[in-house]
């Protein structure tokens, strides 16, 4: 047991043993078989690699040529796979580039349309404001003229009447 500032940490060895679950009991044989298969595959791969090394080091010329041919085929296969992957990646990048270009074009065209609509709206708003302002100024001018006529007629109409 280990003490850490008042806390006692339980040892993994002192944990109570739990019953195995039904699932574990049912899969025990299957898991064991899988583990045996993995070990056998590892063993065969190691054995094959050892045999190839022995042939490469101690074999005659025909075995060495055979191994060199196998290695050449493996390298060509890997190179062809890399080339296929590179072409697939290039195709994806090209497709992505086309999608991005289309998106940028669409975004720009939408922004241009919105900007054009905004300018048109502001132009019509400005024209309407000018029209309203002109109408307001016309009305004010008419009111001033009407006030002047009324004031003048009243002033001159009353002129001399109060003098007596």
């Amino acid at each position: 047991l280990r003490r850490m500032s008042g806390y006692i940490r339980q040892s993994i060895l002192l944990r109570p043993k739990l019953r195995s679950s039904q699932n574990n009991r049912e899969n025990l044989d299957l898991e064991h078989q899988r583990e045996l298969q993995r070990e056998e595959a590892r063993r065969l791969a190691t054995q094959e690699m050892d045999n190839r090394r022995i042939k490469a080091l101690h074999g005659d010329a025909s075995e060495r040529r055979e191994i060199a041919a196998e290695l050449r085929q493996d390298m060509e296969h890997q190179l062809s796979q890399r080339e296929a992957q590179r072409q697939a990646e290039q195709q994806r990048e090209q497709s992505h580039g086309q999608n991005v270009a289309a998106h940028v074009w669409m975004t720009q065209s939408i922004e241009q349309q919105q900007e054009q609509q905004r300018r048109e709206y502001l132009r019509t708003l400005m024209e309407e404001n000018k029209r309203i302002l002109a109408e307001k100024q016309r009305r004010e001018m008419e009111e001033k003229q009407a006030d002047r006529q009324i004031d003048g007629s009243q002033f001159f109409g009353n002129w001399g009447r109060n003098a007596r």
Side-chain angles (χ1 to χ4, degrees), residues 57-107:
L57 293 174
H58 304 292
D60 58 0
S62 65
E63 289 176 341
R64 289 182 186 161
R65 278 192 296 266
E66 191 178 302
I67 291 172
E70 287 178 11
L71 287 176
R72 197 173 310 108
Q73 285 178 346
D74 288 345
M75 287 174 34
E76 289 173 358
H77 180 68
Q78 288 176 357
L79 288 175
S80 66
Q81 283 182 338
R82 283 185 191 164
E83 182 65 23
Q85 287 176 348
R86 188 185 62 77
Q87 288 177 354
E89 182 66 26
Q90 236 177 5
Q91 183 68 23
R92 282 193 298 270
E93 287 177 4
Q94 185 178 13
S95 172
H96 179 68
Q98 290 172 349
N99 290 342
V100 168
H103 179 71
V104 166
W105 177 81
M106 186 179 294
T107 303

Side-chain angles (χ1 to χ4, degrees), residues 123-134:
R123 187 180 58 76
T124 55
L125 185 65
M126 182 181 68
E127 289 174 358
E128 187 177 341
N129 286 342
K130 283 181 180 179
R131 185 183 54 76
I132 291 172
L133 183 62

